[in-house]
Amino acid sequence: MPITAEMRETARGKMHAESFSSRFKVFWKNVYRSLFRYGRMPRDAEGQSYAVFNNLFLHIHPVKVSKHSLKFTYTLGLGVIATILFLILTFTGIWLMFYYFPSATEAYNRMLDLRSSVDFGFVLRNVHKWAAEAMVAVVILHMARVFFTGAYKPPREFNWIVGVILLLLTLMLSFTGYLLPWDQLAFWAITVGTSIASYAPVLGEPLRKFLLGGDTVGQEALVRFYVLHVVILPGLMSIFIAIHFWRIRKDSGLSHPNENGSSARGGAT
Amino acid sequence: MRKKQNRTQQPEIDRRTFLTALGWSGVGLSGLIAALGNLLYLKPAVEYGPPTRIRGGKAKDYQEGIKEVLENERVIIVREKRGFAAISSTCTHLGCTVRASDAGFECPCHGSQFDNDGFVTGGPAPRPLDWYQVSLAPNGELEIDKSVKVPPETYFKV
Amino acid sequence: MREVNTKEVFPKNSNKTYGLMELVKGTKPTVGLQPDDMVFTWPHLLIRELVLFVVVAGLLLVAAFLFDAPLEEVANPNHPPNPAKAPWYFLGLQELVSYSAFAGGVLIPTLIVVALILIPFIDRKRIGVGVWFAKQRAFANGLFFTFLLVMLVLIIIGTFFRGPNWDFVVPWE
């Protein structure tokens, strides 16, 4: 069969197309490998180790964890749930900041706008609210879990204290956020709450003035609570969460029934 | 033995220890001053709220035994035989607004009760209602200074 | 230093691919600390975290569509609601404040925080770690459970059983 010019042309075209797609595949593989060096779903021990170890977001985890710490009936997942709630609250909170205005005359109107005018505004506000209420409850339950499993004992004393600080920060975050909608519920809850603080001897009244920026709950109080709620307390929270996680690893992972005196000191996992 | 010898030869604190301590105290002190400055910065210095000196109308317009509630100023002006009084309407329990009642004042939040002079007669309030200074402006109007508290039963005579 | 016995106790068996290397003297079995007890974070831990995230986010979305976050009228300093209540987690303290402002508002919260911080330095015996409600820890657990229960009861009273003037009311009437 003689080779015609037409056949030669199609063959050349095919070859050209193939080489383009294969070149693109190589290009894509290079891009992908520059991001993830150990494949999509590593199945061997080396790949699974590096998948965690070489990933900024995953390397807060050790490469290997004990089976016991994965038991849902042991941890009830409460610490992880609290973290998830904090992440969701950060995300929805930043989104809400696009519309919120810490002004005594404007804040309440923005609440009404979020509820009726802004697309999905009510979803963001509701998720933020319910996640905040859930976080207070989950953090308290997490503390109860740690107590009832004796997980605060040496070498984890310091991490228990970090946990207490995180509980207080959670309460303060919730409390400062309570004022921001500037409705009756917010105004009087903060009036009552800060009045309770003023019963502390000597420091009470200055503390109340310090928090409110004046004698009564007003514009100054709103700005102060806003700054605390969106910058200072979340910042502190992130730092202490980081310490909390870091200490879990320095204290040889989660508490374990087979621990003995010599093993749990300064594990380097 | 050697230790004793060292003591006699050397001063108790050598130069290095002294300078190190001095350096660290400098760092500590400046840190402390900086922290204090930041705290003072946050201390509310300026009152942005409504003015603390308010006018309460002509003194001669007040009848005896009247309790005039200035809602927005959170002050109740009382005219008694003994004179004028400006009593705060902020409950001393948890900061709610009290309202005038037959026996005196009552707080709707947690049920504290006060008599006409602001003394506690019932409920959880720990101390009497605040009294503010009353004076007379040149044009015959009452002037109340909310930044100056006076002891209860300090009536202002016209 | 651990005392190591280098004498071959069990002679090497050529049919086996493994052999006993050494004997180590110790007071406790180290079975639980062997690498066998460990699994890879990827995928075992990460898949659990992902599932939890999906469940939590899903539940929140459902709640967000079903229940609106409360929003009352605009703040009005002249008209306090009756009763004025703090956020729910402070209602236990507010209930105590209604008996004594100093004790409920300052003394008891301070004592709670101080006690919480001191717990791991008071109770240092490493028994009953890693088990729910260990029998050896019955006293400590009972104490903490009582504390949680009291707080819970106070919060429930403050939330549901306190009406106007902070008078006791029955919510279902």
Side-chain angles (χ1 to χ4, degrees):
Chain A
M1 202 168 126
I3 299 163
T4 61
E6 201 185 336
M7 280 166 77
R8 209 169 276 148
E9 205 50 48
T10 36
R12 194 172 291 151
K14 221 179 198 170
M15 241 169 73
H16 186 75
E18 262 177 17
S19 73
F20 177 76
S21 77
S22 63
R23 267 186 214 170
F24 182 76
K25 262 184 194 160
V26 170
F27 168 74
W28 175 244
K29 201 181 165 192
N30 286 341
V31 171
Y32 186 86
R33 279 289 154 131
S34 73
L35 288 168
F36 305 101
R37 291 182 179 161
Y38 300 93
R40 191 165 313 179
M41 281 290 156
R43 304 221 177 269
D44 58 322
E46 193 195 6
Q48 290 182 335
S49 308
Y50 278 121
V52 171
F53 197 67
N54 280 4
N55 184 308
L56 173 74
F57 301 102
L58 299 183
H59 92 282
I60 52 167
H61 290 306
V63 167
K64 282 185 131 186
V65 290
S66 82
K67 276 182 192 159
H68 181 259
S69 67
L70 291 182
K71 268 192 207 157
F72 187 76
T73 48
Y74 181 63
T75 62
L76 304 179
L78 288 165
V80 175
I81 293 175
T83 314
I84 291 169
L85 288 170
F86 179 69
L87 292 177
I88 290 176
L89 282 164
T90 310
F91 177 81
T92 52
I94 290 173
W95 241 228
L96 288 169
M97 280 171 74
F98 277 107
Y99 285 102
Y100 183 75
F101 211 83
S103 142
T105 51
E106 198 52 35
Y108 185 75
N109 292 335
R110 298 304 173 104
M111 289 298 117
L112 296 179
D113 290 348
L114 276 175
R115 220 161 58 154
S116 51
S117 311
V118 179
D119 286 335
F120 290 103
F122 78 102
V123 180
L124 278 167
R125 189 173 109 83
N126 290 355
V127 169
H128 196 76
K129 169 77 181 175
W130 299 133
E133 302 284 10
M135 189 169 162
V136 174
V138 167
V139 167
I140 293 171
L141 289 176
H142 177 56
M143 184 180 74
R145 190 289 282 174
V146 169
F147 191 94
F148 291 136
T149 55
Y152 56 84
K153 300 195 172 203
R156 301 188 177 81
E157 313 100 300
F158 179 65
N159 223 10
W160 167 269
I161 292 173
V162 175
V164 173
I165 293 170
L166 285 172
L167 169 68
L168 294 178
L169 283 173
T170 307
L171 292 178
M172 283 191 256
L173 265 168
S174 174
F175 186 66
T176 50
Y178 220 85
L179 181 66
L180 303 187
W182 204 251
D183 62 346
Q184 280 285 72
L185 197 69
F187 184 89
W188 292 103
I190 303 306
T191 300
V192 168
T194 51
S195 298
I196 291 178
S198 70
Y199 280 103
V202 190
L203 282 178
E205 198 51 47
L207 179 72
R208 180 182 135 85
K209 264 197 126 167
F210 201 79
L211 270 175
L212 295 183
D215 282 322
T216 50
V217 180
Q219 176 61 62
E220 289 307 297
L222 184 54
V223 172
R224 278 172 187 236
F225 275 52
Y226 180 68
V227 174
L228 284 171
H229 187 74
V230 303
V231 182
I232 294 176
L233 293 174
L236 285 174
M237 191 88 169
S238 309
I239 291 169
F240 279 97
I241 288 176
I243 297 173
H244 206 53
F245 289 175
W246 183 72
R247 280 305 289 230
I248 294 174
R249 290 183 60 176
K250 296 299 135 185
D251 300 338
S252 312
L254 298 192
S255 52
H256 203 276
N258 293 326
E259 268 171 27
N260 56 47
S262 63
S263 71
R265 246 331 133 184
T269 51
Chain B
M1 278 301 279
R2 248 185 86 214
K3 217 174 181 183
K4 214 173 181 182
Q5 266 179 0
N6 272 347
R7 254 219 190 132
T8 50
Q9 282 164 7
Q10 297 244 328
E12 275 203 32
I13 300 171
D14 62 11
R15 190 202 309 254
R16 181 185 291 256
T17 319
F18 174 72
L19 287 178
T20 312
L22 195 70
W24 279 116
S25 0
V27 171
L29 198 68
S30 20
L32 205 71
I33 290 171
L36 209 70
N38 282 286
L39 271 179
L40 283 176
Y41 167 78
L42 286 174
K43 192 175 97 88
V46 190
E47 275 289 341
Y48 293 101
T52 53
R53 293 173 82 88
I54 47 173
R55 292 289 170 92
K58 297 268 190 217
K60 60 176 176 3
D61 294 344
Y62 281 88
Q63 305 278 314
E64 226 178 79
I66 207 164
K67 281 189 269 188
E68 176 78 13
V69 181
L70 305 182
E71 235 185 21
N72 289 323
E73 287 83 7
R74 306 189 85 175
V75 166
I76 300 161
I77 298 176
V78 180
R79 171 80 161 107
E80 296 249 343
K81 230 179 231 162
R82 288 173 282 178
F84 285 96
I87 299 175
S88 162
S89 67
T90 304
C91 179
T92 52
H93 177 225
L94 292 176
C96 290
T97 310
V98 299
R99 57 184 177 215
S101 67
D102 297 336
F105 309 99
E106 61 181 20
C107 177
C109 291
H110 310 105
S112 295
Q113 285 156 356
F114 307 89
D115 65 8
N116 275 320
D117 289 338
F119 287 104
V120 183
T121 53
R127 56 191 166 84
L129 295 171
D130 287 333
W131 283 49
Y132 297 130
Q133 197 182 55
V134 187
S135 57
L136 204 62
N139 65 354
E141 270 193 287
L142 286 174
E143 198 174 65
I144 294 124
D145 192 347
K146 281 165 72 181
S147 59
V148 182
K149 284 172 191 167
V150 294
E153 296 194 288
T154 318
Y155 281 95
F156 173 73
K157 283 212 170 103
V158 180
Chain C
M1 278 305 284
R2 279 168 168 173
E3 215 179 297
V4 175
N5 188 351
T6 48
K7 201 180 83 188
E8 263 191 317
V9 185
F10 304 102
K12 211 171 191 173
N13 185 338
S14 57
N15 292 326
K16 288 179 185 168
T17 52
Y18 53 90
L20 190 68
M21 304 308 286
E22 61 179 34
L23 288 179
V24 178
K25 272 191 183 167
T27 50
K28 288 188 182 93
T30 47
V31 174
L33 301 168
Q34 295 302 304
D36 297 339
D37 191 37
M38 310 288 272
V39 289
F40 276 104
T41 297
W42 178 298
H44 298 281
L45 174 56
L46 294 173
I47 194 71
R48 282 166 172 80
E49 288 179 347
L50 184 67
V51 168
L52 265 186
F53 180 82
V54 171
V55 170
V56 169
L59 284 177
L60 280 174
L61 270 179
V62 171
F65 277 96
L66 287 182
F67 310 104
D68 266 333
L71 186 67
E72 294 186 359
E73 281 159 40
V74 67
N76 183 350
N78 298 325
H79 292 106
N82 190 359
K85 288 187 177 181
W88 65 267
Y89 42 82
F90 285 149
L91 282 183
L93 293 179
Q94 199 183 339
E95 175 66 20
L96 291 173
V97 164
S98 73
Y99 304 115
S100 158
F102 175 73
V106 182
L107 192 67
I108 290 174
T110 311
L111 285 180
I112 289 175
V113 171
V114 170
L116 283 177
I117 287 174
L118 287 181
I119 281 174
F121 299 101
I122 295 168
D123 179 22
R124 297 180 63 81
K125 254 191 242 158
R126 303 184 61 191
I127 42 165
V129 175
V131 203
W132 276 90
F133 303 112
K135 276 205 183 94
Q136 306 99 306
R137 289 175 31 77
F139 177 69
N141 283 337
L143 215 60
F144 198 73
F145 188 79
T146 314
F147 160 68
L148 288 180
L149 201 67
V150 169
M151 289 315 288
L152 185 70
V153 167
L154 284 173
I155 286 174
I156 288 174
I157 291 176
T159 310
F160 299 109
F161 292 87
R162 288 298 178 182
N165 296 335
W166 209 249
D167 287 335
F168 194 85
V169 290
V170 184
W172 48 86
E173 271 176 7

